Amino acid sequence: MEKDSNRICLCPLEGIITTISKKWAILVISILGHHERLRFNDIMTTLEGISPKSLTDLLKELQRTCLVRREAFSEIPPRVEYSLTDDGKQLCKAIIPLIQWAEKRDNLHSKNCNATCQSTCCPSKRDI
Amino acid sequence: MEKDSNRICLCPLEGIITTISKKWAILVISILGHHERLRFNDIMTTLEGISPKSLTDLLKELQRTCLVRREAFSEIPPRVEYSLTDDGKQLCKAIIPLIQWAEKRDNLHSKNCNATCQSTCCPSKRDI
DNA sequence: CTGTATCCCCAGAGATACTG
DNA sequence: CAGTATCTCTGGGGATACAG
Protein backbone atom coordinates (compact mmCIF):
# COMPACT_ATOMS: atom_id res chain seq x y z
CA MET A 1 0.00 0.00 0.00
CA GLU A 2 2.11 2.89 -1.23
CA LYS A 3 1.60 6.22 0.43
CA ASP A 4 1.65 8.26 -2.74
CA SER A 5 -1.19 6.51 -4.42
CA ASN A 6 -3.28 6.95 -1.31
CA ARG A 7 -3.64 10.57 -2.23
CA ILE A 8 -4.83 9.89 -5.74
CA CYS A 9 -8.42 10.95 -6.24
CA LEU A 10 -10.50 8.93 -8.62
CA CYS A 11 -13.09 11.65 -9.23
CA PRO A 12 -11.55 13.14 -12.36
CA LEU A 13 -11.09 9.67 -13.73
CA GLU A 14 -14.72 8.86 -13.16
CA GLY A 15 -15.53 11.91 -15.19
CA ILE A 16 -13.34 11.08 -18.12
CA ILE A 17 -14.31 7.44 -17.97
CA THR A 18 -17.86 8.31 -18.86
CA THR A 19 -16.48 9.94 -21.97
CA ILE A 20 -13.83 7.54 -23.14
CA SER A 21 -15.89 4.50 -22.32
CA LYS A 22 -18.43 5.53 -24.90
CA LYS A 23 -18.49 3.20 -27.83
CA TRP A 24 -15.93 4.09 -30.53
CA ALA A 25 -14.43 6.86 -28.39
CA ILE A 26 -10.98 5.39 -27.90
CA LEU A 27 -10.91 4.28 -31.49
CA VAL A 28 -11.65 7.81 -32.68
CA ILE A 29 -9.06 9.27 -30.34
CA SER A 30 -6.46 6.80 -31.52
CA ILE A 31 -7.22 7.25 -35.17
CA LEU A 32 -7.09 11.02 -34.87
CA GLY A 33 -3.88 10.62 -32.91
CA HIS A 34 -2.33 9.01 -35.93
CA HIS A 35 -3.68 11.22 -38.68
CA GLU A 36 -3.42 14.80 -37.42
CA ARG A 37 -6.65 15.85 -39.15
CA LEU A 38 -9.53 13.91 -40.64
CA ARG A 39 -12.88 14.66 -42.22
CA PHE A 40 -16.21 13.32 -41.08
CA ASN A 41 -16.52 10.75 -43.83
CA ASP A 42 -12.96 9.58 -43.41
CA ILE A 43 -13.69 8.70 -39.81
CA MET A 44 -16.98 7.09 -40.79
CA THR A 45 -15.41 4.78 -43.35
CA THR A 46 -12.43 4.00 -41.15
CA LEU A 47 -14.69 2.92 -38.34
CA GLU A 48 -16.80 0.72 -40.59
CA GLY A 49 -20.18 0.34 -38.99
CA ILE A 50 -20.80 3.48 -37.00
CA SER A 51 -23.89 5.46 -37.94
CA PRO A 52 -23.67 9.18 -38.70
CA LYS A 53 -25.75 9.93 -35.66
CA SER A 54 -23.53 7.98 -33.35
CA LEU A 55 -20.46 9.62 -34.79
CA THR A 56 -21.77 13.17 -34.49
CA ASP A 57 -22.94 12.45 -30.97
CA LEU A 58 -19.52 11.16 -30.08
CA LEU A 59 -17.64 13.99 -31.77
CA LYS A 60 -19.76 16.52 -29.94
CA GLU A 61 -19.01 14.83 -26.66
CA LEU A 62 -15.31 14.85 -27.46
CA GLN A 63 -15.48 18.53 -28.33
CA ARG A 64 -17.38 19.27 -25.17
CA THR A 65 -14.65 17.62 -23.13
CA CYS A 66 -11.97 19.49 -25.07
CA LEU A 67 -10.35 16.41 -26.53
CA VAL A 68 -11.16 17.04 -30.16
CA ARG A 69 -11.16 20.22 -32.21
CA ARG A 70 -13.55 20.89 -35.08
CA GLU A 71 -12.77 23.23 -37.96
CA ALA A 72 -15.42 24.02 -40.53
CA PHE A 73 -14.63 25.62 -43.87
CA SER A 74 -17.28 27.59 -45.71
CA GLU A 75 -17.09 25.78 -48.99
CA ILE A 76 -19.43 24.01 -51.31
CA PRO A 77 -19.45 21.13 -50.73
CA PRO A 78 -18.80 21.73 -47.05
CA ARG A 79 -15.54 20.60 -45.51
CA VAL A 80 -15.02 19.92 -41.84
CA GLU A 81 -11.83 18.69 -40.26
CA TYR A 82 -11.34 17.09 -36.90
CA SER A 83 -8.13 16.89 -34.95
CA LEU A 84 -6.95 16.21 -31.43
CA THR A 85 -6.42 19.04 -29.01
CA ASP A 86 -3.28 19.01 -26.89
CA ASP A 87 -5.36 17.41 -24.19
CA GLY A 88 -6.46 14.74 -26.62
CA LYS A 89 -2.89 14.04 -27.62
CA GLN A 90 -1.88 13.67 -24.00
CA LEU A 91 -4.75 11.30 -23.43
CA CYS A 92 -3.52 9.32 -26.39
CA LYS A 93 -0.21 8.88 -24.63
CA ALA A 94 -1.75 8.21 -21.24
CA ILE A 95 -3.61 5.17 -22.50
CA ILE A 96 -0.57 3.54 -24.06
CA PRO A 97 0.25 1.51 -20.93
CA LEU A 98 -3.34 0.38 -20.84
CA ILE A 99 -3.24 -0.70 -24.46
CA GLN A 100 0.03 -2.51 -23.95
CA TRP A 101 -1.28 -4.26 -20.88
CA ALA A 102 -4.41 -5.28 -22.75
CA GLU A 103 -2.40 -6.49 -25.70
CA LYS A 104 0.00 -8.53 -23.60
CA ARG A 105 -2.87 -10.01 -21.66
CA ASP A 106 -4.75 -10.82 -24.81
CA ASN A 107 -1.75 -12.66 -26.19
CA LEU A 108 -1.52 -14.73 -23.05
CA HIS A 109 -5.17 -15.62 -22.97
CA SER A 110 -5.76 -16.37 -26.62
CA LYS A 111 -3.66 -16.57 -29.71
CA ASN A 112 -6.31 -15.77 -32.26
CA CYS A 113 -6.26 -12.01 -32.09
CA ASN A 114 -4.25 -11.57 -35.25
CA ALA A 115 -6.61 -13.67 -37.29
CA THR A 116 -9.56 -11.67 -36.08
CA CYS A 117 -7.87 -8.34 -36.53
CA GLN A 118 -7.09 -8.97 -40.15
CA SER A 119 -10.75 -9.32 -40.89
CA THR A 120 -13.41 -7.05 -39.53
CA CYS A 121 -13.05 -6.41 -35.84
CA CYS A 122 -10.22 -3.97 -35.98
CA PRO A 123 -10.08 -1.60 -38.93
CA SER A 124 -7.77 0.56 -36.89
CA LYS A 125 -4.96 -1.90 -37.26
CA ARG A 126 -4.97 -1.45 -40.99
CA ASP A 127 -5.59 2.25 -41.09
CA ILE A 128 -3.72 3.75 -38.19
CA MET B 1 3.15 9.25 -36.76
CA GLU B 2 5.48 6.85 -35.00
CA LYS B 3 6.07 3.53 -36.66
CA ASP B 4 5.84 1.49 -33.51
CA SER B 5 2.41 2.56 -32.52
CA ASN B 6 1.18 1.77 -35.99
CA ARG B 7 1.36 -1.86 -35.09
CA ILE B 8 -0.67 -1.52 -31.95
CA CYS B 9 -3.97 -3.32 -32.21
CA LEU B 10 -6.88 -1.83 -30.36
CA CYS B 11 -8.94 -5.04 -30.28
CA PRO B 12 -7.86 -6.23 -26.84
CA LEU B 13 -8.42 -2.76 -25.47
CA GLU B 14 -11.92 -2.68 -26.88
CA GLY B 15 -12.52 -5.90 -25.02
CA ILE B 16 -11.27 -4.68 -21.68
CA ILE B 17 -12.92 -1.33 -22.10
CA THR B 18 -16.32 -2.95 -22.02
CA THR B 19 -15.34 -4.34 -18.66
CA ILE B 20 -13.59 -1.48 -16.96
CA SER B 21 -16.02 1.09 -18.27
CA LYS B 22 -18.80 -0.52 -16.29
CA LYS B 23 -19.99 1.66 -13.51
CA TRP B 24 -17.96 1.24 -10.29
CA ALA B 25 -15.49 -1.09 -11.99
CA ILE B 26 -12.39 1.08 -11.73
CA LEU B 27 -13.36 2.08 -8.23
CA VAL B 28 -13.58 -1.57 -7.17
CA ILE B 29 -10.28 -2.38 -8.85
CA SER B 30 -8.59 0.55 -7.16
CA ILE B 31 -10.02 -0.16 -3.76
CA LEU B 32 -9.04 -3.80 -3.96
CA GLY B 33 -5.63 -2.68 -5.17
CA HIS B 34 -5.15 -0.87 -1.90
CA HIS B 35 -6.58 -3.40 0.51
CA GLU B 36 -5.30 -6.81 -0.59
CA ARG B 37 -8.54 -8.54 0.41
CA LEU B 38 -12.03 -7.32 1.18
CA ARG B 39 -15.39 -8.81 1.98
CA PHE B 40 -18.60 -8.17 0.11
CA ASN B 41 -20.07 -5.84 2.67
CA ASP B 42 -16.84 -3.92 3.06
CA ILE B 43 -16.91 -3.09 -0.62
CA MET B 44 -20.60 -2.23 -0.44
CA THR B 45 -20.16 0.25 2.37
CA THR B 46 -17.01 1.73 0.89
CA LEU B 47 -18.77 2.40 -2.38
CA GLU B 48 -21.73 4.04 -0.70
CA GLY B 49 -24.67 3.73 -3.02
CA ILE B 50 -24.16 0.60 -5.05
CA SER B 51 -26.88 -2.00 -4.76
CA PRO B 52 -26.04 -5.61 -3.91
CA LYS B 53 -27.20 -6.71 -7.33
CA SER B 54 -24.99 -4.25 -9.14
CA LEU B 55 -22.04 -5.25 -7.02
CA THR B 56 -22.49 -8.98 -7.54
CA ASP B 57 -22.96 -8.43 -11.25
CA LEU B 58 -19.78 -6.43 -11.38
CA LEU B 59 -17.77 -8.82 -9.25
CA LYS B 60 -18.86 -11.70 -11.46
CA GLU B 61 -17.77 -9.80 -14.53
CA LEU B 62 -14.42 -9.05 -12.94
CA GLN B 63 -13.98 -12.70 -12.04
CA ARG B 64 -14.94 -13.73 -15.55
CA THR B 65 -12.25 -11.49 -16.95
CA CYS B 66 -9.72 -12.82 -14.44
CA LEU B 67 -9.15 -9.51 -12.71
CA VAL B 68 -10.60 -10.40 -9.33
CA ARG B 69 -10.37 -13.58 -7.28
CA ARG B 70 -13.12 -14.82 -5.02
CA GLU B 71 -12.52 -17.02 -1.99
CA ALA B 72 -15.44 -18.43 -0.05
CA PHE B 73 -15.08 -19.94 3.42
CA SER B 74 -17.59 -22.47 4.67
CA GLU B 75 -18.48 -20.79 7.90
CA ILE B 76 -21.57 -19.60 9.65
CA PRO B 77 -22.07 -16.78 9.02
CA PRO B 78 -20.53 -17.12 5.56
CA ARG B 79 -17.34 -15.27 4.73
CA VAL B 80 -16.20 -14.39 1.24
CA GLU B 81 -13.09 -12.47 0.39
CA TYR B 82 -12.24 -10.70 -2.82
CA SER B 83 -8.80 -9.74 -4.01
CA LEU B 84 -7.05 -8.73 -7.19
CA THR B 85 -5.40 -11.33 -9.36
CA ASP B 86 -1.95 -10.57 -10.74
CA ASP B 87 -3.67 -9.39 -13.87
CA GLY B 88 -5.82 -7.07 -11.82
CA LYS B 89 -2.79 -5.66 -10.05
CA GLN B 90 -1.09 -5.00 -13.35
CA LEU B 91 -4.20 -3.26 -14.60
CA CYS B 92 -4.12 -1.14 -11.48
CA LYS B 93 -0.66 0.03 -12.47
CA ALA B 94 -1.52 0.45 -16.13
CA ILE B 95 -4.21 3.00 -15.39
CA ILE B 96 -1.99 5.18 -13.23
CA PRO B 97 -0.93 7.41 -16.15
CA LEU B 98 -4.56 7.77 -17.07
CA ILE B 99 -5.50 8.76 -13.54
CA GLN B 100 -2.64 11.23 -13.35
CA TRP B 101 -3.56 12.74 -16.69
CA ALA B 102 -7.18 13.05 -15.59
CA GLU B 103 -6.18 14.58 -12.29
CA LYS B 104 -3.85 17.13 -13.85
CA ARG B 105 -6.45 18.01 -16.44
CA ASP B 106 -9.10 18.33 -13.80
CA ASN B 107 -6.95 20.74 -11.83
CA LEU B 108 -6.44 22.89 -14.89
CA HIS B 109 -10.09 22.99 -15.83
CA SER B 110 -11.61 23.53 -12.41
CA LYS B 111 -10.30 24.11 -8.95
CA ASN B 112 -13.19 22.72 -6.98
CA CYS B 113 -12.30 19.04 -7.07
CA ASN B 114 -11.02 18.90 -3.53
CA ALA B 115 -14.14 20.42 -2.11
CA THR B 116 -16.28 17.90 -3.90
CA CYS B 117 -14.09 14.99 -2.99
CA GLN B 118 -14.27 15.71 0.70
CA SER B 119 -18.00 15.27 0.61
CA THR B 120 -19.78 12.51 -1.19
CA CYS B 121 -18.50 11.99 -4.70
CA CYS B 122 -15.34 10.19 -3.90
CA PRO B 123 -15.38 7.80 -0.95
CA SER B 124 -12.28 6.22 -2.41
CA LYS B 125 -10.19 9.21 -1.46
CA ARG B 126 -10.98 8.71 2.17
CA ASP B 127 -10.86 4.96 2.24
CA ILE B 128 -8.10 3.92 -0.08
C1' DC C 1 -20.31 16.30 -47.88
C1' DT C 2 -21.78 16.83 -43.36
C1' DG C 3 -24.58 16.30 -40.82
C1' DT C 4 -30.27 16.36 -38.47
C1' DA C 5 -34.59 14.31 -37.34
C1' DT C 6 -37.13 10.31 -35.87
C1' DC C 7 -38.13 6.16 -34.20
C1' DC C 8 -36.95 1.92 -31.85
C1' DC C 9 -34.86 -1.39 -28.80
C1' DC C 10 -32.89 -3.57 -25.10
C1' DA C 11 -28.89 -4.08 -21.88
C1' DG C 12 -27.39 -2.00 -17.82
C1' DA C 13 -28.30 -0.05 -13.59
C1' DG C 14 -31.18 0.76 -9.53
C1' DA C 15 -34.87 -0.32 -5.78
C1' DT C 16 -36.84 -3.57 -3.01
C1' DA C 17 -37.82 -7.75 -0.84
C1' DC C 18 -36.41 -12.13 0.24
C1' DT C 19 -33.18 -16.60 1.24
C1' DG C 20 -29.40 -20.16 2.64
C1' DC D 1 -23.23 -12.27 5.87
C1' DA D 2 -23.58 -12.73 1.16
C1' DG D 3 -25.93 -12.75 -1.91
C1' DT D 4 -30.82 -13.94 -5.31
C1' DA D 5 -35.21 -12.81 -7.40
C1' DT D 6 -38.11 -9.45 -9.58
C1' DC D 7 -39.50 -5.48 -11.43
C1' DT D 8 -38.76 -1.06 -13.46
C1' DC D 9 -36.85 2.44 -16.18
C1' DT D 10 -33.69 5.25 -18.57
C1' DG D 11 -30.75 6.54 -22.28
C1' DG D 12 -27.09 4.97 -25.33
C1' DG D 13 -26.75 3.15 -29.60
C1' DG D 14 -28.48 1.75 -34.13
C1' DA D 15 -31.35 2.23 -38.61
C1' DT D 16 -33.29 5.03 -41.77
C1' DA D 17 -34.70 9.01 -44.17
C1' DC D 18 -34.05 13.60 -45.00
C1' DA D 19 -31.79 18.60 -45.17
C1' DG D 20 -28.46 22.64 -46.00
Side-chain angles (χ1 to χ4, degrees):
Chain A
M1 206 178 292
E2 319 99 81
K3 265 228 162 185
D4 272 357
S5 49
N6 286 5
R7 282 191 244 104
I8 288 182
C9 169
L10 267 5
C11 295
L13 185 59
E14 289 301 295
I16 198 61
I17 271 287
T18 62
T19 297
I20 67 175
S21 71
K22 285 183 194 298
K23 204 169 181 184
W24 308 105
I26 290 195
L27 229 35
V28 168
I29 298 276
S30 297
I31 291 169
L32 280 177
H34 288 270
H35 279 90
E36 197 62 31
R37 37 185 51 242
L38 282 175
R39 305 177 61 170
F40 189 87
N41 254 20
D42 294 334
I43 305 178
M44 278 271 299
T45 55
T46 301
L47 258 38
E48 284 190 69
I50 195 174
S51 70
K53 172 183 173 296
S54 298
L55 184 53
T56 38
D57 286 355
L58 176 58
L59 285 172
K60 277 178 185 167
E61 168 77 8
L62 295 178
Q63 287 163 239
R64 198 184 62 74
T65 49
C66 304
L67 296 174
V68 161
R69 176 176 30 242
R70 189 194 120 115
E71 289 174 280
F73 302 87
S74 304
E75 306 174 354
I76 308 273
R79 176 164 60 104
V80 179
E81 293 185 345
Y82 294 92
S83 56
L84 289 186
T85 62
D86 287 344
D87 247 23
K89 289 175 186 170
Q90 285 172 29
L91 170 57
C92 231
K93 289 180 186 165
I95 57 175
I96 288 178
L98 191 58
I99 295 180
Q100 289 173 337
W101 169 83
E103 189 173 28
K104 182 182 164 194
R105 173 181 143 96
D106 198 77
N107 285 336
L108 292 178
H109 286 235
S110 68
K111 303 294 184 186
N112 54 7
C113 174
N114 277 335
T116 325
C117 289
Q118 304 301 348
S119 56
T120 57
C121 93
C122 194
S124 53
K125 187 169 191 180
R126 300 195 304 276
D127 296 347
I128 281 181
Chain B
M1 207 178 291
E2 320 96 81
K3 267 228 161 184
D4 272 357
S5 49
N6 286 5
R7 282 191 243 106
I8 287 182
C9 169
L10 266 6
C11 295
L13 184 60
E14 288 301 295
I16 199 61
I17 272 287
T18 63
T19 297
I20 67 175
S21 72
K22 286 182 194 299
K23 205 168 180 185
W24 308 105
I26 291 196
L27 228 37
V28 167
I29 297 276
S30 297
I31 291 170
L32 280 176
H34 289 269
H35 280 90
E36 197 62 32
R37 38 185 52 242
L38 281 176
R39 305 177 62 169
F40 188 88
N41 256 19
D42 294 334
I43 304 179
M44 279 270 299
T45 54
T46 301
L47 258 38
E48 285 191 66
I50 195 173
S51 68
K53 172 183 172 297
S54 299
L55 183 54
T56 39
D57 287 355
L58 176 58
L59 286 172
K60 277 177 184 167
E61 168 77 8
L62 294 178
Q63 286 163 239
R64 197 185 62 74
T65 49
C66 303
L67 296 173
V68 161
R69 175 176 30 241
R70 188 194 121 116
E71 291 173 279
F73 302 86
S74 304
E75 307 173 354
I76 308 271
R79 176 165 60 102
V80 179
E81 292 185 345
Y82 294 91
S83 56
L84 289 186
T85 62
D86 287 344
D87 247 22
K89 289 176 187 170
Q90 284 172 29
L91 169 57
C92 231
K93 289 181 188 166
I95 57 175
I96 289 178
L98 191 58
I99 295 180
Q100 288 173 338
W101 169 83
E103 190 173 27
K104 181 181 164 194
R105 172 181 143 94
D106 198 76
N107 286 336
L108 291 178
H109 286 236
S110 67
K111 303 293 184 185
N112 53 7
C113 175
N114 277 334
T116 325
C117 290
Q118 304 301 349
S119 56
T120 58
C121 92
C122 195
S124 54
K125 189 169 190 181
R126 298 195 304 276
D127 297 348
I128 281 181

